[in-house]
Amino acid sequence: MTQETPPRIEVRNANGTIGADILGVNFANLASIDIPTVRSAWLERGVVRFPQCTIDDATHVAFARAFGELDFNPGTRLTGRVYIEGFPELVRVSNIVENGVPIGELGAGEADWHSDMCFIERPPSASLLRALEVPSGGGNTHFIDMVGILEALPNDLRRDISGLSIKHDAVYASSGKQRAGTIAPTGGDIRNIPGAVHPIVQRHPETGLETLYLGKRYNAYVMGLEIADSETLLDRLWQHVSNASPQHLWTQTWRIGDLIMWDNRRTMHRRDAFNGTARRLLHRAVVKG
């Protein structure tokens, strides 16, 4: 018996170096999905969108598993909290409060540029985020291609980061709020804050491309430097990010049913704030690095 060829899907690249829409994926029949084509587009474009698809939590988790073993989000890792009954791999990203208790994470405020879970030893390779409820305005998610950002780095700055690594704070989120289940260090010295150490310049394990890995700015520390020198170097790097060319940027304006999958090793993302009285609910799964 000959093996059936998966139905053809269509990849539509966005302008620039990042982002693509993937059309023609039948989530009602996961076995029919051409996973190699999806993986190829994801690796090439950094972030891909499956627009307004019909998908439930079980399908979300099963599809994510096609790309590797799933990891637990920080809330579950640190406290054991399960957000969605029967699906401990999923986290709710939401501002909704029920009975005085937030049902998810992040709230309605702005989220600065970051890579997911940069503070663990093996950050996720992929994050898959889908929208169940979205506000009428705000809450857009922006992505940046860190391969392109590294290629555009001035020669002197590229030289200055050669061989250096950053410690990524595991205690405090970008908002400055302490993560549940962590212990704050004493003395106020950021060099003493627990966290994972990752090289600033990394070679992508699947594409072989070099990428700039900054994680997040808050409480980051360049290993081996005086604190003032670390801050100066990090400020130079983040200023370069803030001046990124439009060709290295891609924006997701959410619609119900949108599923976004990004490569956490070559992109960063941030989120706009939105009206806190509006409801926003998304579910996210992450694939181990």
Side-chain angles (χ1 to χ4, degrees):
M1 179 181 293
T2 59
Q3 186 175 3
E4 291 187 8
T5 302
R8 184 174 179 82
I9 61 178
E10 181 183 358
V11 179
R12 294 182 181 174
N13 291 345
N15 294 329
T17 65
I18 183 172
D21 280 320
I22 299 184
L23 309 176
V25 175
N26 180 12
F27 285 102
N29 182 6
L30 289 179
S32 74
I33 299 176
D34 183 356
I35 295 297
T37 295
V38 173
R39 176 181 287 276
S40 178
W42 165 66
L43 289 172
E44 179 184 347
R45 302 299 296 176
V47 54
V48 294
R49 172 173 55 202
F50 306 89
Q52 295 183 289
C53 52
T54 301
I55 182 172
D56 58 15
D57 288 330
T59 304
H60 188 160
V61 169
F63 180 64
R65 282 203 178 105
F67 300 93
E69 182 183 357
L70 301 192
D71 204 348
F72 293 110
N73 67 85
T76 299
R77 270 177 164 265
L78 296 171
T79 68
R81 179 185 180 186
V82 175
Y83 295 85
I84 302 167
E85 185 75 23
F87 300 100
E89 306 91 345
L90 292 177
V91 62
R92 288 191 182 111
V93 178
S94 182
N95 67 313
I96 299 171
V97 176
E98 294 180 352
N99 301 318
V101 179
I103 69 168
E105 299 181 355
L106 289 184
E110 182 179 2
D112 293 334
W113 287 116
H114 66 282
S115 299
D116 286 339
M117 297 164 65
C118 60
F119 55 90
I120 68 173
E121 293 299 327
R122 291 175 58 197
S125 58
S127 297
L128 295 94
L129 183 66
R130 90 179 199 272
L132 288 80
E133 299 182 55
V134 295
S136 58
N140 292 345
T141 303
H142 307 273
F143 294 88
I144 186 167
D145 175 18
M146 299 303 285
V147 170
I149 293 298
L150 178 62
E151 290 174 348
L153 212 62
N155 290 335
D156 61 334
L157 186 49
R158 179 66 183 264
R159 181 188 64 246
D160 291 346
I161 63 174
S162 177
L164 296 179
S165 296
I166 295 175
K167 179 192 281 189
H168 303 270
D169 170 19
V171 177
Y172 298 99
S174 297
S175 63
K177 182 179 178 181
Q178 184 175 343
R179 293 186 177 94
T182 63
I183 299 175
T186 58
D189 190 331
I190 62 172
R191 292 173 293 191
N192 298 327
I193 292 177
V197 176
H198 299 294
I200 299 176
V201 177
Q202 302 186 9
R203 188 168 297 279
H204 194 288
E206 296 186 71
T207 67
L209 297 173
E210 285 192 319
T211 182
L212 187 67
Y213 191 81
L214 296 183
K216 64 181 178 67
R217 179 63 180 91
Y218 191 79
N219 277 353
Y221 166 67
V222 181
M223 301 295 291
L225 300 186
E226 295 297 325
I227 291 177
D229 295 334
S230 170
E231 292 291 302
T232 297
L233 182 57
L234 289 170
D235 285 346
R236 290 169 64 197
L237 286 167
W238 283 98
Q239 182 63 40
H240 183 68
V241 169
S242 70
N243 292 331
S245 165
Q247 70 173 333
H248 299 317
L249 299 167
W250 185 83
T251 295
Q252 160 65 0
T253 301
W254 288 98
R255 298 168 297 178
I256 293 174
D258 283 353
L259 172 65
I260 301 292
M261 175 178 171
W262 64 88
D263 189 337
N264 200 52
R265 301 160 296 188
R266 69 164 291 170
T267 68
M268 290 197 299
H269 59 283
R270 68 174 184 86
R271 186 192 73 185
D272 294 333
F274 60 97
N275 186 339
T277 64
R279 291 171 62 96
R280 186 178 190 268
L281 175 61
L282 302 95
H283 289 180
R284 188 191 72 179
V286 297
V287 180
K288 281 187 176 181

